[in-house]
Each structure stands twice: as structure tokens, then as C-alpha cells.
Amino acid sequence: MFVHVLGASAGGGFPQWNCNCRMCSGVRNKTIKATPRTQSSIAISSDRLNWVLFNASPDILSQLAAFPELQPARALRDTAIRAIVFMDSQIDHTTGLLMLREGCPHDVYCTDMVNEDLRTGFPLFNMLEHWNGGVRRHGIPLDGSSFTMAGIDGLTFTAIPVTGKAPPYSPHRHDPHVGDNIGIKVTDTRSGKVLFYAPGLGQLTPQTRELMTSADCLLVDGTFWQDDEMDCVGLGDRRAFDMGHLPQSGSGGMIEVMRPMLKPRKILIHINNTNPILDDESEQRRQLSAEGIEVSYDGMDFSL
């Protein structure tokens, strides 16, 4: 399978437009060695001709322009996107669908809870019905069974619920449900190689840990370096765990979780603009490198 990182940042991008924290001002002023990143989204293909888009960020148009394979120009109007998967219903993962309205109807895969959010609190699906019917919504099973997608040969998909939070606009923001957030195991049926993708990942369940350990590559939550990061940089007292994200450092953090996992390649995605790992020369980045953990960036390509 082929994996392309369209965007590697968390919501707001890097630098965030209204943020003057050390990281955002540093990348603007070139006082740190860092690369700007757009909001997180990836594309996966088995043949580099037909692609699955995972999340549609508000930056989708610039991301598509930077990746010509998603616009192969085989017809007067064309796209190589065969399906879109929503991992959750967060604004930074779904709003880009509005920018793709000219291509409706789209085949969109999401859980029942995400579908409910996008029909009620943020009625994105309802709005898009005015463009050729909007979306052809497909459910995502959460019972451990695999599913396939039309036009995507050689890949199977298995979703698992992961710990996280529904968006602030969700009618059940403070009443978590199974299906608010998912991770997905993508299997190449020809090579047997497995990618586990989870841009939002809170506390690990035994099922999640088992999937991560057995995968060939992990592309997982890299939002925060530490649990109290927002407080430390003066941007509020919300903690990483409270927002449904497992920080990299500290007891039970992502570094400690992934350290005994010897098989997979380990890559972080959905990196918040405050996270010091965005500085290529930071001590935190050196710690990750010593642990064999990579930091994704816009335009990153790899295959399994």
C-alpha cells in the first residue's frame, strides 16, 4: 500500500494563524528549525491510481494542489478520490468536505455517532444534499469485522473504537459513546502488511495495544508532548488527557507505550502547534529519534 501525508498538524495548523507561542512565532521568524504543516489528513492507495482520503481538513484544497496524483485529469472533471473516511466528527477533520462539494456525491464512510453529529450539531451532510445529493454514507462496523471499498482493490479495513471525545458542538460532548473516535487497521491483502492509523488516541485499551504491537507501521496521535502543555505555554488549563489525547512524555505516555513494540515503524501525526517536537533541533525531537519515533510532515510518502 502507498501512504501519503496530506497534512500532519492538529487543528489550526502550524503555525496557527492567531498564535504567537514560541513554536508559531519561531517558525514564522525562522528562529527555530521547523517546517509549516497543514491540518491532518492522509491518503492511501493500493495502485497509486485510486485513493482513500482519511479526513477532509479545512486545508484540503491546498493539500490536493500539492499532490497531483489526486487530480489525474483523465476527464473534463475528475478526481482519484474513491472514498472518504471520517475518523471522528471534529471540525478540523470534516470541514474540507464543503470544499469538495463540486464533486458530490461522495462515498463517505463513518460511524453512526459521527453520522449523527454531522446531521445535527454540525449538519454538514444535510447542507451538502443540495449538491447532487451530497454524500453516499456508508456505515463502519465496530464489531471487529473487516470491510472493503468499491474501487479500492487489495486493501481491507478494520475499525476499532478508541478513547477520545466528541467535538465541542456535539449534542453528546460530555456523554461519550462508542464510535465517537476510531482507529483503523489497513491491510494489504497481497503483501499482508498492516498500517494502524489513529490521529486521535486517548487511553489505550488491550485491543488497541494488541493492534499496535502487531502492525507493520503506526501512524498515531502526536498532538501534545506533555499532559499540561497548554498550561505551560500560557494557553489555558486544558490537559491532553482531558481532550482525548495521549501525550508523548510522562508515565503511560506514547513513548513509554510504544517502546516495547519492536515490529512497527512508529510515526506521529496530528501534531499541535505548541508541541516542541516540531522544532527539528529540540531536545524533545532528539528523545523521539533515540526511541526510533518519527514525526510526520506534509508531503511525507511511504509504502508498505
Side-chain angles (χ1 to χ4, degrees):
M1 79 180 79
F2 303 95
V3 182
H4 180 85
V5 176
L6 293 163
S9 177
F14 175 63
Q16 182 171 303
W17 67 278
N18 67 338
C19 186
N20 294 301
C21 71
R22 185 181 73 85
M23 298 303 299
C24 288
S25 61
V27 72
R28 285 194 196 99
N29 302 327
K30 297 181 171 52
T31 56
I32 62 173
K33 186 178 180 182
T35 304
R37 288 163 167 84
T38 58
Q39 296 168 90
S40 75
S41 177
I42 68 170
I44 296 180
S45 175
S46 61
D47 56 10
R48 299 199 79 104
L49 298 173
N50 302 284
W51 294 82
V52 181
L53 179 66
F54 286 81
N55 295 328
S57 89
D59 299 313
I60 188 65
L61 294 185
S62 63
Q63 292 169 344
L64 295 181
F67 188 47
E69 289 190 44
L70 290 180
Q71 178 47 278
R74 297 162 298 195
L76 187 59
R77 288 198 170 174
D78 187 33
T79 178
I81 300 171
R82 293 287 166 264
I84 301 169
V85 177
F86 285 154
M87 307 295 290
D88 52 49
S89 52
Q90 298 286 347
I91 289 285
D92 56 309
H93 284 163
T94 59
T95 312
L97 194 59
L98 290 170
M99 303 300 103
L100 303 179
R101 61 193 179 276
E102 296 88 352
C104 287
H106 292 288
D107 286 289
V108 176
Y109 291 75
C110 66
T111 66
D112 290 344
M113 297 314 303
V114 168
N115 181 59
E116 180 179 303
D117 282 345
L118 297 179
R119 295 280 183 191
T120 56
F122 177 35
L124 176 66
F125 288 169
N126 301 346
M127 288 186 282
L128 286 171
E129 288 176 359
H130 299 281
W131 282 268
N132 296 324
V135 303
R136 292 186 291 252
R137 187 255 168 169
H138 305 265
I140 292 180
L142 295 175
D143 59 1
S145 59
S146 298
F147 62 99
T148 58
M149 301 179 193
I152 304 297
D153 297 326
L155 299 179
T156 62
F157 305 85
T158 309
I160 63 166
V162 297
T163 304
K165 281 211 168 191
Y169 69 77
S170 172
H172 62 274
R173 166 70 169 178
H174 302 293
D175 179 23
H177 286 65
V178 172
D180 286 337
N181 300 267
I182 60 171
I184 284 194
K185 170 185 173 183
V186 184
T187 304
D188 188 313
T189 58
R190 298 156 301 182
S191 67
K193 296 292 186 178
V194 171
L195 169 75
F196 180 70
Y197 175 57
L201 190 58
Q203 297 176 347
L204 267 65
T205 64
Q207 182 186 24
T208 305
R209 193 182 299 269
E210 181 181 348
L211 275 178
M212 290 175 65
T213 301
S214 62
D216 295 286
C217 182
L218 304 176
L219 193 54
V220 294
D221 193 336
T223 310
F224 295 111
W225 173 254
Q226 61 193 67
D227 185 37
D228 60 348
E229 187 169 310
M230 297 296 281
D231 187 34
C232 288
V233 299
L235 291 173
D237 58 1
R238 294 179 300 164
R239 305 184 78 88
F241 285 114
D242 294 336
M243 289 185 275
H245 297 289
L246 188 67
Q248 284 101 64
S249 65
S251 178
M254 192 67 78
I255 293 174
E256 186 176 288
V257 164
M258 293 199 293
R259 184 175 291 141
M261 299 178 182
L262 303 180
K263 180 182 179 182
R265 179 180 178 183
K266 305 161 187 176
I267 308 171
L268 299 177
I269 195 168
H270 194 269
I271 305 153
N272 200 58
N273 64 85
T274 56
N275 194 328
I277 66 173
L278 290 166
D279 180 350
D280 297 343
E281 297 177 334
S282 66
E283 174 58 31
Q284 291 84 354
R285 178 66 77 88
R286 284 191 284 271
Q287 289 183 47
L288 289 182
S289 296
E291 295 282 348
I293 300 173
E294 302 172 58
V295 178
S296 65
Y297 53 88
D298 290 22
M300 183 180 193
D301 270 309
F302 59 92
S303 58
L304 297 173

